[in-house]
Amino acid sequence: MASKAAQKRLSKEYVAMQKEPPPFVWAAPDEKNILTWNYLIRGPPDSPFAGGEYHGVLLFPSEYPFKPPGIKMLTPSGRFQPDRKICFSMSDFHPGSWNPAWSVATILTGLLSFMLSEEMTTGSVTSSDSHKRAFAARSHSWNITQQRFKDAFPEYCTPALRDLPNMGEKERGKPDNPPIVNFVNPPPVSVSSSSSSFASVASSHTEAETRPSTQPQPNSVAKPNDPNRAAAAPAPGWMAAWRHFIYEKWRLCAFIALAVMLSRFTTRT
């Protein structure tokens, strides 16, 4: 029977698990005994356990959180012996190293990390990566034939494997809604109080590129009998306006280059 401290602590941890489950992990207490928790671990990508679904139990003592739980994995995995207690630093094999601040989420995250390592201990087995992948491929079909799995996780007793609430996408840097960057028509950005003049210069620059130029080049020389000689002569302040145009054009190109670099950096991370 759970003590009041264990009851209160485990109830609080179940709320925390529902609110913010760790990556690749899910757990819930037994309806009849809060000291017994069933957990699910999903094999992370780029590991021999990828695509695997591993069911196990946490067996908490009535003195929890002042004493550690016993830990078993029931699904054959190629890493642990099914239905046998596992010895690692957060289990009841090591009460001296137990920290009462650790929680269900901490324990299962540690178990997943230990599962991915090569360390051998009580409850471990040795197998090749190909064997682990084979166990992972048939883990779900094995689980849904087990009554303990059916009782603990009826919502996961489906023909197709269902994702856990947290499949580690955020931790891998995958945003929920990736930003859409429009490189054809970049959104206006206010860079200074002269943003309106910046937009007008950019607009005139775009129009100049889409129609043939009827104006002579800056360095062209008018012929003596050229009827357009007057038009070729620079107007007062023309050089200053041209320098301003070149400067604004440079700023526009720098802004677009910065947007491209930030987009690539965000995609890679």
Side-chain angles (χ1 to χ4, degrees):
M1 182 177 178
S3 64
K4 290 184 179 181
Q7 180 85 26
K8 182 178 179 179
R9 173 68 174 268
L10 290 171
S11 298
K12 183 178 180 180
E13 291 187 18
Y14 181 49
V15 173
M17 175 67 65
Q18 291 179 307
K19 184 177 180 181
E20 193 172 358
F24 308 111
V25 166
W26 178 245
D30 185 273
E31 293 182 356
K32 298 179 181 179
N33 183 6
I34 198 172
L35 294 177
T36 299
W37 283 53
N38 288 272
Y39 68 81
L40 285 177
I41 289 179
R42 287 294 303 274
D46 303 322
S47 77
F49 306 100
E53 177 186 63
Y54 306 97
H55 172 213
V57 291
L58 302 177
L59 307 172
F60 292 96
S62 58
E63 297 86 358
Y64 182 81
F66 304 106
K67 289 186 178 181
I71 303 171
K72 294 182 179 181
M73 184 171 286
L74 307 177
T75 307
S77 62
R79 178 69 174 94
F80 302 118
Q81 298 178 42
D83 203 10
R84 182 174 179 182
K85 281 190 175 183
I86 301 167
C87 172
F88 84 115
S89 59
M90 295 182 180
S91 73
D92 56 1
F93 279 88
H94 298 278
S97 63
W98 170 253
N99 186 340
W102 291 338
S103 64
V104 173
T106 308
I107 296 165
L108 292 177
T109 300
L111 177 62
L112 175 58
S113 178
F114 185 68
M115 183 177 181
L116 297 175
S117 73
E118 299 294 334
E119 184 178 350
M120 297 302 298
T121 185
T122 302
S124 299
V125 296
T126 302
S127 67
S128 64
D129 285 354
S130 61
H131 282 123
K132 293 182 177 73
R133 293 189 186 97
F135 280 118
R138 57 177 178 261
S139 58
H140 179 66
S141 59
W142 187 89
N143 283 336
I144 59 179
T145 65
Q146 306 301 306
Q147 190 59 47
R148 283 193 287 186
F149 183 86
K150 295 178 182 179
D151 294 340
F153 300 109
E155 68 275 22
Y156 289 96
C157 292
T158 55
L161 188 64
R162 287 185 56 190
D163 284 346
L164 299 183
N166 183 354
M167 291 302 295
E169 293 184 350
K170 183 184 297 184
E171 288 71 12
R172 296 196 300 273
K174 181 179 179 181
D176 295 333
N177 296 306
I180 300 175
V181 180
N182 188 344
F183 294 106
V184 178
N185 297 304
V189 177
S190 177
V191 295
S192 67
S193 60
S194 60
S195 59
S196 58
S197 63
F198 173 81
S200 64
V201 171
S203 176
S204 63
H205 176 60
T206 303
E207 293 176 359
E209 291 180 339
T210 58
R211 66 172 183 268
S213 175
T214 59
Q215 298 297 326
Q217 297 299 318
N219 295 326
S220 64
V221 178
K223 296 180 180 179
N225 297 324
D226 190 349
N228 294 325
R229 182 172 182 175
W238 180 88
M239 187 61 69
W242 179 255
R243 283 198 295 265
H244 178 71
F245 174 80
I246 294 297
Y247 172 69
E248 295 293 352
K249 179 181 178 182
W250 177 84
R251 284 172 46 175
L252 175 62
C253 294
F255 168 73
I256 294 175
L258 179 59
V260 172
M261 291 176 64
L262 289 175
S263 174
R264 291 181 177 177
F265 176 77
T266 305
T267 302
R268 291 177 181 176
T269 57

